[in-house]
Amino acid sequence: MLVIISGRVNLTNNQIVTKEAVILANGQFPESDFCLDILNSGKDIICCDGSADKIAAFGLKAKVIIGDLDSISPELKKRHPEIIIDKSDQNSNDLTKAVHWAKENAYTKVIILGATGIREDHTIGNIYLLSRYNEIIAVQMVSDYGIFDVINSSSVFDSFPGQQVSVFSTDQDARFTFAGLKYEVNNRALHEAWMGTLNECTSNSFEINFDKGSAIIYRVFD
Amino acid sequence: MLVIISGRVNLTNNQIVTKEAVILANGQFPESDFCLDILNSGKDIICCDGSADKIAAFGLKAKVIIGDLDSISPELKKRHPEIIIDKSDQNSNDLTKAVHWAKENAYTKVIILGATGIREDHTIGNIYLLSRYNEIIAVQMVSDYGIFDVINSSSVFDSFPGQQVSVFSTDQDARFTFAGLKYEVNNRALHEAWMGTLNECTSNSFEINFDKGSAIIYRVFD
């Protein structure tokens, strides 16, 4: 059940050339078929530090392994020095380093897996960082439970009746209006992070309107 | 390794009478010894909807089961009608209903377990709701990975060198100053949720100063 955002890209010729990479962060390793299909799709896989051991155990090889290398096993580090990119600076996390590497290496989109679960501060940080990443490169994050998209302007999403939807604003004062969702939001600021959560689509699409900042839209798979 | 916030409560007689309850939310059931010790401590357990089945499978009995009852098994619902409190209104989530019930029933503190993991929007919502809950009743949230406290004014926390710490502000404009943490924050707003994350204590305590709103402090156990 792949759900696709629409109303987001305006094209003159209806063609986008994408060179997609998968970034595997070092949170909970995905278990759902949906995520595993993405891993197995043949796209280049950029591993964040210790996630390289997880992908090796899964039977796939990373295109590159990037990060401060404080959690990758010494064995793997020794075995594949040719794919290791040591970025030891502490000013950004490994996921951010991976996103920048993708951009610098001519990828035009990244799908991030494994960025949630385990430590909750990593989960929150990674989700909210999506809006920064989206300034650099087209990005989606997928977990076992749902899919995250970033929008910078009012957008329509493909959906289905009953689909659970949450909206996170990056600007506390931005005013939102929802259409096609069960719980009405009408020209209201989502001051606190929980205020846009746990909504539900009532038809086959919904619309998120807002006046500034960006928003992270989460659609639960079932 | 129980870590205790200090510098938070001013008492005239150094005594607080607490009547604590554990609220078990319907996220990931805890696995760590630390969380299971809390469950097994003999405190009254308030179950949110379907978490009642999990606690029954674990071998404990809930004091009450509260929520809109859309996820509890029909068997359990039938077996223990005397402890079921049907709160079907859709204006708040089951965790919020449990917090209110605790307050109304003379508890003075709640420890929330099982409120993270699984759906990421529930995780974010539940964490940020802590600051609302703390207006009603003293509250801590504990996961397998760390402990969450809410502060309404500048506070000192017991800690240890190397402890991972994250700070989430409920006010985008509140200005924060940290002391005793590795990455310096000096009179700076934490505009975005990731900005106060992934810090580290350098000694046996740290201090979080801020000028308005509230803050949620997360200390990772190891």
Side-chain angles (χ1 to χ4, degrees):
Chain A
M1 182 186 1
L2 179 57
V3 277
I4 311 274
I5 176 177
S6 60
R8 179 183 180 191
V9 183
N10 282 316
L11 295 169
T12 49
N13 61 2
N14 280 328
Q15 277 191 318
I16 327 175
V17 178
T18 56
K19 186 186 168 197
E20 289 187 6
V22 174
I23 296 178
L24 182 64
N26 200 17
Q28 181 123 19
F29 192 81
E31 293 178 359
S32 66
D33 288 343
F34 189 85
C35 287
L36 298 182
D37 284 350
I38 294 172
L39 274 181
N40 282 317
S41 64
K43 292 181 180 27
D44 292 339
I45 299 173
I46 303 168
C47 278
C48 299
D49 204 345
S51 78
D53 286 284
K54 297 174 186 168
I55 201 80
F58 185 69
L60 290 175
K61 196 183 169 192
K63 170 86 172 176
V64 291
I65 301 164
I66 196 163
D68 56 11
L69 309 179
D70 61 354
S71 58
I72 185 174
S73 68
E75 297 72 35
L76 194 64
K77 209 166 158 179
K78 207 168 159 185
R79 205 185 319 149
H80 295 298
E82 77 284 2
I83 59 168
I84 289 183
I85 300 169
D86 186 346
K87 294 267 189 191
S88 299
D89 80 273
Q90 296 287 307
N91 292 319
S92 65
N93 69 12
D94 292 338
L95 180 54
T96 302
K97 291 168 192 167
V99 168
H100 281 282
W101 187 89
K103 172 67 178 177
E104 288 155 15
N105 285 273
Y107 293 90
T108 53
K109 180 180 173 186
V110 291
I111 300 169
I112 299 173
L113 301 177
T116 65
I118 312 183
R119 271 178 56 177
E120 293 85 359
D121 53 346
H122 285 175
T123 293
I124 295 178
N126 290 343
I127 292 170
Y128 277 93
L129 276 166
L130 283 179
S131 84
R132 289 292 181 110
Y133 298 159
N134 206 54
E135 294 168 5
I136 300 168
I137 192 168
V139 63
Q140 282 189 310
M141 182 186 281
V142 184
S143 79
D144 287 337
Y145 308 103
I147 187 164
F148 297 87
D149 283 285
V150 184
I151 52 175
N152 299 308
S153 61
S154 298
S155 301
V156 175
F157 285 80
D158 282 349
S159 184
F160 54 84
Q163 185 171 34
Q164 300 290 299
V165 173
S166 285
V167 177
F168 302 99
S169 174
T170 64
D171 187 315
Q172 219 162 16
D173 300 320
R175 301 189 83 85
F176 281 76
T177 298
F178 299 166
L181 295 179
K182 186 172 173 184
Y183 303 106
E184 202 176 330
V185 167
N186 192 4
N187 194 31
R188 211 173 69 198
L190 307 176
H191 293 299
E192 298 180 55
W194 53 270
M195 287 181 164
T197 62
L198 312 192
N199 220 318
E200 186 179 313
C201 186
T202 53
S203 62
N204 290 316
S205 69
F206 62 88
E207 198 173 323
I208 305 295
N209 297 286
F210 60 112
D211 60 355
K212 59 178 174 169
S214 61
I216 297 155
I217 313 299
Y218 181 57
R219 286 170 290 172
V220 177
F221 286 129
D222 51 31
Chain B
M1 182 185 3
L2 180 56
V3 279
I4 312 276
I5 177 177
S6 62
R8 180 182 180 191
V9 183
N10 282 316
L11 295 170
T12 49
N13 61 2
N14 281 327
Q15 278 190 318
I16 328 175
V17 178
T18 56
K19 185 186 169 199
E20 290 186 5
V22 175
I23 296 178
L24 182 63
N26 199 17
Q28 181 123 20
F29 191 81
E31 294 178 358
S32 67
D33 289 344
F34 189 85
C35 287
L36 298 182
D37 285 350
I38 294 172
L39 274 181
N40 283 317
S41 64
K43 291 182 182 25
D44 291 341
I45 299 172
I46 303 167
C47 279
C48 299
D49 204 345
S51 78
D53 286 285
K54 298 174 186 168
I55 201 77
F58 184 69
L60 291 174
K61 194 183 170 192
K63 171 85 173 175
V64 291
I65 301 165
I66 196 163
D68 56 10
L69 309 179
D70 61 355
S71 58
I72 186 173
S73 68
E75 297 72 34
L76 194 64
K77 209 166 159 179
K78 206 166 159 187
R79 205 184 321 147
H80 295 298
E82 77 283 4
I83 59 168
I84 289 183
I85 299 170
D86 187 345
K87 295 267 188 190
S88 299
D89 80 274
Q90 296 287 307
N91 292 320
S92 63
N93 69 12
D94 292 338
L95 180 54
T96 302
K97 291 168 192 168
V99 168
H100 282 282
W101 187 89
K103 173 68 178 176
E104 287 154 15
N105 286 273
Y107 295 90
T108 55
K109 180 180 173 186
V110 291
I111 300 170
I112 299 172
L113 301 177
T116 65
I118 312 183
R119 269 178 57 176
E120 293 85 358
D121 53 347
H122 285 176
T123 293
I124 295 178
N126 290 343
I127 291 170
Y128 278 93
L129 276 166
L130 283 179
S131 84
R132 289 292 182 109
Y133 298 158
N134 206 54
E135 294 168 6
I136 300 167
I137 192 168
V139 62
Q140 283 191 309
M141 183 186 281
V142 184
S143 79
D144 287 337
Y145 308 103
I147 187 164
F148 297 85
D149 282 286
V150 184
I151 53 176
N152 299 308
S153 61
S154 297
S155 301
V156 174
F157 286 80
D158 284 347
S159 184
F160 54 84
Q163 187 173 32
Q164 301 290 299
V165 173
S166 286
V167 177
F168 302 99
S169 173
T170 63
D171 187 313
Q172 219 163 15
D173 300 319
R175 302 188 82 83
F176 281 77
T177 298
F178 300 165
L181 295 179
K182 187 171 172 185
Y183 304 106
E184 201 175 331
V185 166
N186 193 3
N187 193 32
R188 211 172 69 199
L190 306 176
H191 293 300
E192 298 179 55
W194 53 271
M195 287 183 166
T197 62
L198 313 192
N199 219 319
E200 186 179 314
C201 185
T202 54
S203 63
N204 291 314
S205 70
F206 62 88
E207 199 174 321
I208 305 294
N209 296 287
F210 59 111
D211 59 357
K212 61 176 172 170
S214 60
I216 298 154
I217 314 298
Y218 181 57
R219 287 170 289 172
V220 178
F221 286 129
D222 50 31

